Amino acid sequence: MDREMIVVLDFGGQYNQLIARRVRECNVYCEVHPYNIGLDRLKEMKPKGIIFTGGPNSVYAEGAPVCEKEVFELGIPVLGICYGSQLMAHLLGGKVATAPVSEYGRTEVDVENGFAMFKGVSKKTICWMSHTDYIEQAPEGFTVTAHTPVCPVAGMENVKKGLYAVQFHPEVMHTQEGMKMLHNFVIGICGCKGDWRMDSFVETSIRAIREKVGDGRVLCALSGGVDSSVAAVLLAKAIGRQLTCVFVDHGLLRKNEGDEVEEVFGPDGPYDLNFIRVNAQERFYGKLAGVEEPERKRKIIGEEFIRVFEEEAKKIGAVDYLVQGTIYPDVIESGLGKSAVIKSHHNVGGLPDCVEFKEIIEPLRLLFKDEVRKAGLELGIPKKLVYRQPFPGPGLGIRIIGEVTAEKVRMVQDADAIYRDEIAKAGLDKDLGQYFAALTNMRSVGVMGDERTYDYAVALRAVNTSDFMTAEAAQIPWDVLGTVTSRIVNEVKGVNRVLFDCTGKPPGTIEFE
Ligand code: XMP
């Protein structure tokens, strides 16, 4: 695809994805690549601008990530952020040193707003700093464009060479005018038009899929989640009945969710595709009987899912392509990130080695989640589905602590439906990252009417998060919690107590298992 692009070179900073997202918010396509991608590859990509991310190192540290100095001679504007700014200064003959006072967090920065990077920015502006080293002296040919009382070069530029740098992080929310600065760089300095839009993405993708698939047959595992639904509709629009979607209902979905998926994708829905719903509830409950350990449950659900899918695929026969709903953060993370495994995340997308096919199609692999949603709306997928909150592959299996039974599934489904209903009625649903009911393994004594009860406790969870890696417990108004509680204990048989989880992540996780 021929389009204008900004390349973010990743030097190990925590915010590399965020930089790319912010650039895309300027309607400019942006990709993240490792810092050592090489000049030839960079030239091939013909970016309109390059951004160096921050990173945890000092430019003097052994093995610190360094790119070729010639990158500054390509005639492509470069913006260095934090470590990226120090590296620029270091490679071009400026002086980087350990700052006498480190700056962390919100910092007031004095900017010279006559300069291109700071057009329209207030003279004193709050920025997010996080550094131990700093640029003590800008390289020759550079003008200092911003400073703080302790940081002499918080911004610098060499207009002739198209080189710009800021010590702080314009991409994070706490930098109050950061978006303006990035916009100045991407649109003002790099001269991007800002024509990366979802309607053109959808159109171009449909054309590309048709060209690639020809008259081949395509198989898609549909989970009902946002990513696989958008991928499926994109394929359906491109190739219609050459596509078969298999939807495995493992009996661990939210209340009525299986039917809702069928309404949209089934024969009475708006799309022309082959839809197969496999009702495998009993099979999954059978496999899960007596199993209490969370990772074991995840494994069983994952394996059984693959088995069911494989059986269906065999009935369909050989296919040419398999569709996966991989999105850009997965691509970046699998290429660059390394982190400890806290939970093995079974994703219903990941199943290729059990099915015979020639190639995988990942139509969303360049999109961030919010862009997937925009593409979904562009494709006419119902809002309810497009804005569905994340739901784990193993579903309610990991929201029922301990053994999973059909009876417990019913309790948690009913409690969760009430909770979601009341949250929506209170108008809170758009502001929460994720919220759901889980069934604890605790039974306790209660009294209902004149009867003693010995029933389960439901736990309510609601978190605010932007990346799902960390989260804080959301504050739900007491009256909403009160209504939810009385409805759950009155309407859900087998539940006599409702608890609210106030734990953040860390130390908790979002799900209970
Ligand atoms: P945790 O519980 O790890 O959840 O804080 C972070 C995010 O990941 C989702 N999650 C899963 N998604 N398979 C998935 O596809 C899983 O096994 C799984 N476990 C957690 C969770 O819903 C949250 O959005």
Coordinates of all heavy atoms in Angstrom, one line a residue, residues 312-386:
E312 N -14.5 -29.8 13.2 CA -15.4 -29.0 12.3 C -14.6 -28.8 11.0 O -15.1 -28.9 9.9 CB -15.8 -27.7 12.9 CG -16.9 -27.8 13.9 CD -18.1 -28.7 13.5 OE1 -18.6 -28.5 12.4 OE2 -18.5 -29.6 14.3
A313 N -13.3 -28.4 11.2 CA -12.5 -28.0 10.0 C -12.4 -29.3 9.1 O -12.4 -29.2 7.9 CB -11.1 -27.6 10.4
K314 N -12.3 -30.4 9.7 CA -12.2 -31.7 8.9 C -13.4 -31.9 8.1 O -13.3 -32.4 6.9 CB -11.9 -32.9 9.8 CG -10.5 -33.0 10.2 CD -10.1 -34.4 10.7 CE -8.6 -34.4 11.0 NZ -8.4 -34.8 12.4
K315 N -14.5 -31.6 8.7 CA -15.8 -31.8 7.9 C -15.8 -30.8 6.7 O -16.4 -31.2 5.6 CB -17.0 -31.4 8.8 CG -17.3 -32.5 9.9 CD -18.6 -32.1 10.6 CE -18.5 -32.6 12.0 NZ -19.4 -31.9 12.9
I316 N -15.2 -29.7 6.9 CA -15.2 -28.7 5.8 C -14.2 -29.1 4.7 O -14.4 -28.9 3.5 CB -14.8 -27.3 6.3 CG1 -15.9 -26.8 7.3 CG2 -14.7 -26.2 5.2 CD1 -15.4 -25.6 8.1
G317 N -13.2 -29.8 5.1 CA -12.2 -30.2 4.1 C -11.1 -29.2 4.0 O -11.1 -28.2 4.7
A318 N -10.1 -29.4 3.1 CA -9.0 -28.5 3.0 C -9.4 -27.1 2.6 O -10.3 -26.9 1.9 CB -8.0 -29.0 1.9
V319 N -8.7 -26.1 3.3 CA -9.0 -24.7 3.0 C -7.7 -24.1 2.6 O -6.6 -24.7 2.8 CB -9.6 -23.9 4.2 CG1 -11.0 -24.4 4.5 CG2 -8.7 -24.0 5.4
D320 N -7.8 -23.0 1.9 CA -6.6 -22.3 1.5 C -6.0 -21.4 2.5 O -4.8 -21.2 2.7 CB -6.8 -21.6 0.2 CG -7.4 -22.5 -0.9 OD1 -6.6 -23.3 -1.4 OD2 -8.6 -22.5 -1.2
Y321 N -6.9 -20.7 3.2 CA -6.4 -19.7 4.1 C -7.1 -19.8 5.5 O -8.3 -20.2 5.5 CB -6.7 -18.3 3.6 CG -6.0 -18.0 2.3 CD1 -6.6 -18.2 1.1 CD2 -4.7 -17.6 2.3 CE1 -6.0 -18.0 -0.1 CE2 -4.0 -17.3 1.1 CZ -4.7 -17.5 -0.1 OH -4.1 -17.3 -1.3
L322 N -6.4 -19.4 6.5 CA -7.0 -19.4 7.8 C -6.9 -17.9 8.3 O -5.9 -17.3 8.2 CB -6.2 -20.2 8.8 CG -6.8 -20.5 10.1 CD1 -7.9 -21.5 10.1 CD2 -5.7 -21.0 11.1
V323 N -8.0 -17.4 8.8 CA -8.1 -16.0 9.3 C -7.7 -15.9 10.8 O -8.3 -16.6 11.5 CB -9.4 -15.4 9.1 CG1 -9.4 -13.9 9.5 CG2 -9.9 -15.5 7.6
Q324 N -6.9 -14.9 11.1 CA -6.7 -14.7 12.5 C -6.9 -13.2 12.8 O -6.5 -12.3 12.0 CB -5.3 -15.1 12.9 CG -5.1 -16.6 13.0 CD -3.9 -17.0 13.7 OE1 -2.8 -16.5 13.4 NE2 -4.0 -17.9 14.7
G325 N -7.4 -12.9 14.0 CA -7.7 -11.5 14.4 C -6.5 -10.8 15.1 O -6.8 -10.0 16.0
T326 N -5.3 -11.2 14.7 CA -4.1 -10.6 15.3 C -4.2 -9.0 15.2 O -4.5 -8.6 14.1 CB -2.8 -11.0 14.6 OG1 -3.0 -12.4 14.4 CG2 -1.6 -10.7 15.4
I327 N -3.9 -8.3 16.2 CA -3.8 -6.8 16.0 C -2.4 -6.3 16.3 O -1.6 -7.0 16.8 CB -5.0 -6.1 16.8 CG1 -4.7 -6.2 18.3 CG2 -6.3 -6.6 16.4 CD1 -5.7 -5.3 19.1
Y328 N -2.2 -5.0 16.1 CA -0.9 -4.5 16.1 C -0.1 -4.6 17.4 O 1.1 -5.0 17.4 CB -0.9 -3.0 15.6 CG 0.5 -2.5 15.1 CD1 1.3 -3.3 14.2 CD2 1.0 -1.3 15.5 CE1 2.5 -2.9 13.8 CE2 2.3 -0.9 15.1 CZ 3.0 -1.7 14.2 OH 4.2 -1.3 13.8
P329 N -0.8 -4.4 18.5 CA -0.1 -4.6 19.8 C 0.5 -6.0 19.9 O 1.6 -6.2 20.5 CB -1.1 -4.3 20.9 CG -2.1 -3.4 20.2 CD -2.1 -3.8 18.8
D330 N -0.2 -7.0 19.4 CA 0.3 -8.4 19.5 C 1.5 -8.5 18.6 O 2.5 -9.2 19.0 CB -0.7 -9.4 18.9 CG -2.1 -9.3 19.5 OD1 -2.2 -8.9 20.7 OD2 -3.1 -9.6 18.8
V331 N 1.5 -7.8 17.5 CA 2.7 -7.9 16.6 C 3.9 -7.2 17.2 O 5.0 -7.8 17.3 CB 2.3 -7.1 15.2 CG1 3.6 -7.1 14.3 CG2 1.2 -7.8 14.6
I332 N 3.7 -6.0 17.8 CA 4.8 -5.3 18.5 C 5.3 -6.2 19.6 O 6.5 -6.4 19.8 CB 4.3 -3.9 19.0 CG1 3.8 -3.1 17.8 CG2 5.5 -3.2 19.6 CD1 3.4 -1.7 18.2
E333 N 4.4 -6.6 20.4 CA 4.8 -7.3 21.6 C 5.5 -8.6 21.3 O 6.5 -8.9 21.9 CB 3.6 -7.6 22.5 CG 3.4 -6.5 23.5 CD 2.0 -6.5 24.1 OE1 1.3 -7.5 24.1 OE2 1.5 -5.4 24.4
S334 N 5.0 -9.4 20.3 CA 5.7 -10.6 20.1 C 7.1 -10.4 19.4 O 8.0 -11.2 19.6 CB 4.9 -11.5 19.2 OG 4.6 -10.9 18.0
G335 N 7.2 -9.2 18.8 CA 8.5 -8.9 18.2 C 9.5 -8.3 19.1 O 10.7 -8.6 19.1
L336 N 9.0 -7.5 20.1 CA 9.9 -6.8 20.9 C 9.9 -7.0 22.4 O 10.9 -6.8 23.1 CB 9.6 -5.3 20.7 CG 9.6 -4.8 19.2 CD1 9.0 -3.4 19.2 CD2 11.0 -4.8 18.6
G337 N 8.8 -7.4 22.9 CA 8.6 -7.5 24.3 C 9.0 -8.8 25.0 O 9.0 -9.8 24.3
K338 N 9.4 -8.7 26.2 CA 9.7 -9.9 27.0 C 9.1 -9.7 28.4 O 9.5 -8.7 29.0 CB 11.2 -10.2 27.1 CG 11.8 -10.7 25.9 CD 13.4 -10.8 26.1 CE 14.1 -10.6 24.8 NZ 14.2 -9.2 24.5
S339 N 8.2 -10.5 28.8 CA 7.8 -10.3 30.2 C 7.5 -11.7 30.8 O 7.2 -12.6 30.1 CB 6.6 -9.4 30.3 OG 5.6 -9.9 29.5
A340 N 7.4 -11.7 32.1 CA 7.2 -12.9 32.8 C 5.8 -13.4 32.6 O 4.9 -12.6 32.4 CB 7.4 -12.7 34.3
V341 N 5.6 -14.7 32.5 CA 4.3 -15.3 32.3 C 3.6 -15.4 33.6 O 3.9 -16.2 34.5 CB 4.4 -16.7 31.6 CG1 3.0 -17.3 31.5 CG2 5.0 -16.6 30.2
I342 N 2.5 -14.6 33.8 CA 1.8 -14.6 35.0 C 0.6 -15.6 34.8 O 0.3 -16.4 35.6 CB 1.2 -13.2 35.3 CG1 2.3 -12.1 35.3 CG2 0.4 -13.2 36.7 CD1 3.3 -12.2 36.4
K343 N 0.0 -15.5 33.6 CA -1.1 -16.4 33.2 C -0.8 -16.8 31.8 O -0.4 -16.0 31.0 CB -2.4 -15.7 33.3 CG -2.8 -15.2 34.6 CD -4.1 -14.4 34.5 CE -4.4 -13.8 35.9 NZ -5.7 -13.1 35.9
S344 N -1.0 -18.1 31.4 CA -0.9 -18.4 30.0 C -2.2 -18.0 29.3 O -3.3 -18.4 29.7 CB -0.7 -19.9 29.8 OG -1.8 -20.6 30.3
H345 N -2.1 -17.0 28.5 CA -3.3 -16.5 27.8 C -3.7 -17.3 26.6 O -3.1 -17.2 25.6 CB -3.1 -15.0 27.4 CG -3.3 -14.1 28.6 ND1 -3.6 -12.7 28.5 CD2 -3.3 -14.3 29.9 CE1 -3.7 -12.2 29.7 NE2 -3.6 -13.1 30.5
H346 N -4.8 -18.0 26.8 CA -5.3 -18.8 25.7 C -6.1 -17.9 24.9 O -7.1 -17.3 25.3 CB -6.1 -20.0 26.2 CG -7.2 -20.4 25.3 ND1 -6.9 -20.9 24.0 CD2 -8.5 -20.3 25.4 CE1 -8.1 -21.1 23.4 NE2 -9.1 -20.8 24.2
N347 N -5.7 -17.7 23.6 CA -6.5 -16.8 22.7 C -7.1 -17.7 21.7 O -6.5 -18.5 21.1 CB -5.5 -15.8 22.1 CG -6.2 -14.5 21.8 OD1 -7.4 -14.6 21.5 ND2 -5.5 -13.5 22.0
V348 N -8.4 -17.6 21.5 CA -9.1 -18.5 20.5 C -8.6 -18.3 19.1 O -9.0 -19.0 18.2 CB -10.6 -18.4 20.6 CG1 -11.1 -19.0 21.9 CG2 -11.1 -17.0 20.4
G349 N -7.8 -17.3 18.9 CA -7.2 -17.1 17.5 C -6.1 -18.1 17.2 O -5.9 -18.4 16.1
G350 N -5.4 -18.5 18.3 CA -4.1 -19.2 18.0 C -4.3 -20.7 17.8 O -4.0 -21.5 18.7
L351 N -4.6 -21.1 16.6 CA -4.8 -22.6 16.4 C -4.3 -23.2 15.2 O -4.6 -24.3 14.9 CB -6.3 -23.0 16.6 CG -7.3 -22.0 16.4 CD1 -7.8 -22.0 15.0 CD2 -8.4 -22.2 17.4
P352 N -3.4 -22.6 14.4 CA -3.2 -23.1 13.1 C -2.7 -24.5 12.9 O -3.1 -25.1 12.0 CB -2.1 -22.1 12.5 CG -1.8 -21.2 13.6 CD -2.7 -21.3 14.7
D353 N -1.8 -25.1 13.8 CA -1.2 -26.3 13.4 C -2.2 -27.5 13.4 O -1.8 -28.6 13.0 CB 0.0 -26.6 14.3 CG -0.2 -26.3 15.7 OD1 -1.1 -25.5 16.0 OD2 0.6 -26.8 16.5
C354 N -3.4 -27.3 13.7 CA -4.4 -28.4 13.6 C -5.2 -28.5 12.3 O -5.9 -29.4 12.1 CB -5.3 -28.4 14.8 SG -6.4 -27.0 14.8
V355 N -5.0 -27.5 11.5 CA -5.8 -27.4 10.3 C -4.9 -27.3 9.1 O -3.9 -26.6 9.1 CB -6.7 -26.1 10.3 CG1 -7.7 -26.1 9.1 CG2 -7.6 -26.1 11.6
E356 N -5.3 -28.0 8.0 CA -4.5 -27.9 6.8 C -4.9 -26.6 6.0 O -6.0 -26.4 5.7 CB -4.9 -29.1 5.9 CG -3.7 -30.0 5.7 CD -4.1 -31.1 4.7 OE1 -4.2 -30.8 3.5 OE2 -4.4 -32.2 5.3
F357 N -3.9 -25.8 5.8 CA -4.2 -24.6 5.0 C -2.8 -24.1 4.5 O -1.8 -24.5 4.9 CB -4.8 -23.5 5.9 CG -3.8 -23.1 7.0 CD1 -3.0 -21.9 6.9 CD2 -3.7 -23.8 8.2 CE1 -2.2 -21.6 7.9 CE2 -2.8 -23.4 9.2 CZ -2.1 -22.3 9.0
K358 N -2.9 -23.2 3.5 CA -1.7 -22.7 2.8 C -1.1 -21.5 3.6 O 0.1 -21.4 3.7 CB -2.1 -22.3 1.4 CG -2.1 -23.5 0.4 CD -2.0 -23.0 -1.0 CE -3.3 -22.3 -1.5 NZ -3.7 -22.3 -2.8
E359 N -1.9 -20.7 4.0 CA -1.4 -19.4 4.6 C -2.4 -18.8 5.6 O -3.6 -19.1 5.5 CB -1.3 -18.4 3.4 CG -0.1 -17.5 3.5 CD -0.1 -16.5 2.3 OE1 -0.1 -17.0 1.1 OE2 -0.1 -15.3 2.5
I360 N -1.8 -17.9 6.4 CA -2.7 -17.2 7.4 C -3.0 -15.8 6.9 O -2.1 -15.2 6.3 CB -2.0 -17.1 8.7 CG1 -1.9 -18.5 9.4 CG2 -2.8 -16.2 9.7 CD1 -1.2 -18.6 10.7
I361 N -4.2 -15.4 7.0 CA -4.5 -14.0 6.7 C -4.8 -13.3 8.0 O -5.6 -13.7 8.8 CB -5.8 -13.9 5.8 CG1 -5.6 -14.7 4.5 CG2 -6.2 -12.5 5.5 CD1 -6.8 -14.6 3.5
E362 N -4.1 -12.2 8.2 CA -4.3 -11.4 9.4 C -4.7 -9.9 9.0 O -3.8 -9.1 8.9 CB -3.1 -11.4 10.2 CG -2.7 -12.7 10.8 CD -1.4 -12.8 11.5 OE1 -0.4 -12.2 10.9 OE2 -1.3 -13.3 12.6
P363 N -6.0 -9.7 8.7 CA -6.3 -8.4 8.0 C -6.2 -7.2 9.0 O -6.2 -6.1 8.6 CB -7.8 -8.6 7.6 CG -8.3 -9.7 8.4 CD -7.1 -10.6 8.8
L364 N -6.1 -7.5 10.3 CA -6.0 -6.4 11.3 C -4.7 -6.2 11.9 O -4.5 -5.4 12.8 CB -7.1 -6.6 12.4 CG -8.5 -7.0 11.9 CD1 -9.4 -7.3 13.1 CD2 -9.1 -5.9 11.1
R365 N -3.6 -6.8 11.3 CA -2.4 -6.9 12.0 C -1.7 -5.5 12.1 O -0.7 -5.3 12.8 CB -1.4 -7.9 11.5 CG -0.9 -7.8 10.1 CD 0.1 -8.9 9.7 NE 1.4 -8.6 10.3 CZ 2.0 -9.4 11.1 NH1 1.5 -10.5 11.6 NH2 3.2 -9.2 11.5
L366 N -2.2 -4.5 11.4 CA -1.6 -3.2 11.4 C -2.4 -2.2 12.3 O -2.1 -1.1 12.4 CB -1.5 -2.6 10.0 CG -0.7 -3.4 9.0 CD1 -0.7 -2.7 7.7 CD2 0.8 -3.4 9.6
L367 N -3.5 -2.7 12.9 CA -4.4 -1.8 13.6 C -4.3 -1.9 15.1 O -4.2 -3.0 15.7 CB -5.9 -2.0 13.2 CG -6.3 -1.9 11.8 CD1 -7.8 -2.0 11.6 CD2 -5.8 -0.7 11.1
F368 N -4.4 -0.7 15.8 CA -4.6 -0.7 17.2 C -6.1 -1.0 17.5 O -6.9 -0.8 16.6 CB -4.2 0.6 17.8 CG -2.7 0.8 17.8 CD1 -2.1 1.7 17.0 CD2 -2.0 0.1 18.8 CE1 -0.7 1.9 17.0 CE2 -0.6 0.3 18.8 CZ 0.0 1.2 18.0
K369 N -6.4 -1.3 18.8 CA -7.7 -1.7 19.2 C -8.8 -0.6 18.8 O -9.8 -0.9 18.2 CB -7.8 -1.9 20.7 CG -9.0 -2.6 21.1 CD -8.9 -4.1 20.9 CE -10.0 -4.9 21.5 NZ -9.8 -6.3 21.3
D370 N -8.5 0.6 19.1 CA -9.5 1.7 18.8 C -9.7 1.8 17.3 O -10.8 2.1 16.8 CB -9.1 3.0 19.4 CG -7.6 3.4 19.1 OD1 -6.8 2.5 18.8 OD2 -7.4 4.6 19.1
E371 N -8.6 1.5 16.5 CA -8.8 1.5 15.0 C -9.6 0.3 14.5 O -10.4 0.4 13.6 CB -7.4 1.5 14.4 CG -6.6 2.8 14.7 CD -5.2 2.7 14.1 OE1 -4.6 1.7 14.3 OE2 -4.8 3.7 13.6
V372 N -9.4 -0.8 15.2 CA -10.3 -2.0 14.9 C -11.7 -1.7 15.1 O -12.6 -2.0 14.2 CB -9.9 -3.2 15.8 CG1 -10.8 -4.4 15.5 CG2 -8.4 -3.7 15.5
R373 N -12.0 -1.0 16.2 CA -13.4 -0.6 16.4 C -13.9 0.4 15.4 O -15.0 0.2 14.9 CB -13.5 0.1 17.8 CG -13.2 -0.9 18.9 CD -13.9 -0.4 20.2 NE -14.0 -1.6 21.1 CZ -13.2 -1.8 22.2 NH1 -12.3 -1.0 22.5 NH2 -13.4 -2.9 22.9
K374 N -13.1 1.3 15.0 CA -13.5 2.3 13.9 C -13.8 1.5 12.6 O -14.7 1.8 11.9 CB -12.4 3.3 13.7 CG -12.4 4.5 14.6 CD -11.5 5.6 14.2 CE -11.0 6.4 15.3 NZ -9.7 7.0 15.2
A375 N -12.9 0.5 12.3 CA -13.1 -0.3 11.1 C -14.4 -1.0 11.2 O -15.2 -1.1 10.2 CB -11.9 -1.2 10.9
G376 N -14.7 -1.5 12.4 CA -15.9 -2.3 12.6 C -17.1 -1.4 12.4 O -18.1 -1.8 11.7
L377 N -17.1 -0.2 12.9 CA -18.2 0.7 12.6 C -18.3 1.0 11.1 O -19.4 1.1 10.6 CB -18.0 2.0 13.4 CG -18.1 1.9 14.9 CD1 -17.8 3.3 15.6 CD2 -19.5 1.4 15.4
E378 N -17.2 1.3 10.5 CA -17.2 1.5 9.1 C -17.8 0.4 8.3 O -18.5 0.6 7.3 CB -15.7 1.7 8.7 CG -15.4 2.4 7.4 CD -15.9 3.8 7.4 OE1 -15.6 4.6 8.4 OE2 -16.6 4.1 6.5
L379 N -17.6 -0.8 8.8 CA -18.2 -2.0 8.1 C -19.6 -2.3 8.5 O -20.3 -3.2 8.0 CB -17.4 -3.3 8.5 CG -16.0 -3.4 7.9 CD1 -15.1 -4.3 8.7 CD2 -16.1 -3.9 6.4
G380 N -20.2 -1.4 9.3 CA -21.6 -1.5 9.7 C -21.9 -2.6 10.8 O -23.0 -3.0 10.9
I381 N -20.9 -3.0 11.5 CA -21.1 -4.0 12.6 C -21.8 -3.3 13.7 O -21.5 -2.1 14.1 CB -19.8 -4.6 13.1 CG1 -19.1 -5.2 11.9 CG2 -20.0 -5.6 14.2 CD1 -17.7 -5.7 12.2
P382 N -22.8 -3.9 14.4 CA -23.6 -3.2 15.4 C -22.7 -2.7 16.5 O -21.7 -3.4 16.9 CB -24.5 -4.4 16.0 CG -24.6 -5.4 14.9 CD -23.3 -5.3 14.1
K383 N -23.0 -1.5 17.0 CA -22.2 -0.8 18.1 C -22.0 -1.7 19.3 O -21.0 -1.7 19.9 CB -22.9 0.4 18.5 CG -22.6 1.6 17.7 CD -22.9 2.9 18.5 CE -22.4 4.1 17.8 NZ -23.3 5.1 17.7
K384 N -23.1 -2.4 19.6 CA -23.1 -3.3 20.8 C -21.9 -4.3 20.7 O -21.2 -4.6 21.7 CB -24.4 -4.1 20.8 CG -24.7 -4.7 22.1 CD -26.1 -5.2 22.1 CE -26.3 -6.3 23.1 NZ -27.5 -7.0 23.0
L385 N -21.7 -4.8 19.5 CA -20.6 -5.7 19.3 C -19.2 -5.0 19.2 O -18.2 -5.5 19.8 CB -20.9 -6.5 18.0 CG -20.5 -8.0 18.0 CD1 -21.2 -8.7 16.9 CD2 -19.0 -8.2 17.9
V386 N -19.2 -3.9 18.5 CA -18.0 -3.2 18.3 C -17.4 -2.7 19.7 O -16.2 -2.7 19.9 CB -18.2 -2.0 17.4 CG1 -17.0 -1.0 17.4 CG2 -18.4 -2.5 16.0

